[in-house]
Amino acid sequence: MAQTMLCGTCVSPGQFELTPAEMPQTAPEGWVLVDITAAGLCGTDYHIYEGKHPFLQYPRVIGHELSGRVAVSAGDWAAGVPVVINPYLSCGECRACQRGKPNCCTQIQVLGVHRDGGMCSRIAVPAGNLYAAGDLGPEAAAMVEFLAIGAHAVRRGEVAAGDRVLVTGAGPIGLGVALFAKARGAEVHLLDTTPARLEQARGLGFEHLLGAVAAGDGFDVVFDATGNGAAMEAGFAHVAHGGTYVLVSVVQGNITFSDPEFHKREMRLIGSRNATAEDFDTVMEALRTGVVSSKALLSERITLVDLPARLPVLAADRGSLIKAIVVMEAA
């Protein structure tokens, strides 16, 4: 008799249920079966629940911030090994992949978005998308992916010690950017219109907290993590002459800016998408050494069975939490 499992599924906008599915017992060649231990909830999951994701087909099993243990030995992976899952499945053949940029693969499929994710007991993942978690606990390991987005953006922005950095949007992604910019020795300022988010940033040790930006010489590197078109456009004015603007968030439609101001400042404009293995490694090392505290980022621990009741509440009040983690089994 086939073994079944429950999957956290957005059946349609506003409708989230635990749906039964057959637990996979085999994986395609080159793939590995992983028993999920924890899954983080992020803005993408909330957008899917709210029906705001532009490229999603329902029903969809959510979950892309994932940790687990290898279920069945395969290749170099032994059963029981704790792992972090990279949810970005790339084709390996397009120009971006050939140039070592699988994070922006032209055919990318993200677990929990383009295909069913890991809000369930077991999932099959390409072997190359697994990283040994070592002594990281399940909750910390489930935070690696969202933090890697911030680490990737900071690397893209070439933040250096002594830089004045502005991060606009103090949600989880923005906080990740801020943490890794600070780790590089930058003076980090955070801008957000939600006082609760600024207080969360204060609790993480940040001192330069802004509800608005005063006129001045600007910032060497500005990061936008707002997901708001007007805020993204306003950010151009905050970049110092010779500075860099990194767009971490994305919106539908066009972003416009003043070409004379752009050229006058010799500004660099950079897009930052997802993360690569290098960024996952950076985050895991930061968590292991205490540069980043997973305990400080954890807002709530939820069991899968409780998620249908909690998800609507969390989605309606995202400004009051940093990271909620859904636990699939006892840590």
Side-chain angles (χ1 to χ4, degrees), residues 62-104:
I62 63 171
H64 63 274
E65 300 179 358
L66 305 169
S67 66
R69 294 188 183 93
V70 175
V72 179
S73 296
D76 295 331
W77 292 101
V81 171
V83 293
V84 171
I85 295 175
N86 180 334
Y88 318 128
L89 277 57
S90 56
C91 73
E93 299 177 356
C94 71
R95 184 65 176 164
C97 287
Q98 291 176 0
R99 298 183 66 215
K101 298 181 178 182
N103 59 302
C104 51

Side-chain angles (χ1 to χ4, degrees), residues 36 39 47 54-55 70 101 118 135 137 147 150 154 173 177-178 194 203 231 239 261 283 286-287:
I36 301 299
H47 288 155
F55 307 116
V70 175
K101 298 181 178 182
D135 57 358
L147 289 169
V154 168
I173 297 298
V177 172
T194 303
V239 181
E261 285 294 325
V283 171
L287 288 168

Side-chain angles (χ1 to χ4, degrees), residues 164 212-220 236-241 261 265:
R164 293 185 74 243
V213 177
D217 292 334
F219 297 86
D220 302 307
F236 283 86
H238 304 323
V239 181
H241 283 236
E261 285 294 325
R265 300 168 194 234

